[in-house]
Amino acid sequence: MTIHLLRLAVGADNLQSMRDWRRDHQIQWQGRPVVPTYTKRAPTRMAELLDGGCIYWVVKGFIQCRQRFIGFDEVQDVDGTGYCRMLMDPELVETLSMPKRPFQGWRYLKPEEAPADLAGGEGGDALPEHLMAELRALGLA
């Protein structure tokens, strides 16, 4: 059974900054390009995340995009502190915008609670980001 994760995109100002960061931080893992993100506490439901699960990113108070999970591994920093490295597909899929209050770390997200993908994929027929930001600020998106 599939489950997703919800995580704040700390430091991201908009979707373009998310795309740029992902492009600039790709690594090779098991012969394929992936984008890593790190967490102290490893998810206990990894098998469900790898069964079609995605990480849904909250950018400036709104769920705005997702990335599919590719794998997980354990890494250590130079001080020997262990972390869980979550490895995602480099493709960033835009979703319908959904407001989300701040939280720490990450949360599981049931598939039925996840926002739908935007029609037309990345960019597609969606409004430009600056218009979506104005609509969100007015509470209309």
Side-chain angles (χ1 to χ4, degrees), residues 7-129:
R7 187 153 192 198
L8 298 179
V10 177
D13 293 323
N14 52 44
L15 288 174
Q16 188 57 50
S17 66
M18 291 279 296
R19 285 188 201 96
D20 293 344
W21 194 93
R22 265 129 190 81
R23 181 196 63 232
D24 297 341
H25 290 86
Q26 283 187 28
I27 63 170
Q28 289 291 315
W29 184 76
Q30 296 184 356
R32 68 175 297 168
V34 296
V35 177
T37 191
Y38 300 86
T39 183
K40 186 73 172 150
R41 188 173 58 105
T44 57
R45 300 172 71 178
M46 285 184 197
E48 293 170 85
L49 291 167
L50 291 172
D51 186 25
C54 293
I55 189 165
Y56 282 78
W57 292 103
V58 179
V59 180
K60 295 293 182 186
F62 293 85
I63 301 173
Q64 296 189 38
C65 57
R66 67 176 177 85
Q67 286 179 283
R68 189 172 52 87
F69 279 103
I70 301 298
F72 297 89
D73 62 13
E74 294 293 323
V75 295
Q76 290 185 351
D77 66 13
V78 293
D79 298 325
T81 303
Y83 292 91
C84 175
R85 182 167 63 175
M86 300 185 286
L87 303 152
M88 279 87 58
D89 189 304
E91 180 184 12
L92 197 65
V93 179
E94 290 184 43
T95 64
L96 294 174
S97 185
M98 178 185 289
K100 196 68 180 170
R101 292 184 182 269
F103 56 91
Q104 288 187 340
W106 50 262
R107 302 285 184 267
Y108 287 112
L109 179 66
K110 296 176 185 174
E112 62 270 14
E113 295 173 357
D117 293 349
L118 281 178
E122 201 169 304
D125 295 330
L127 290 173
E129 179 61 28

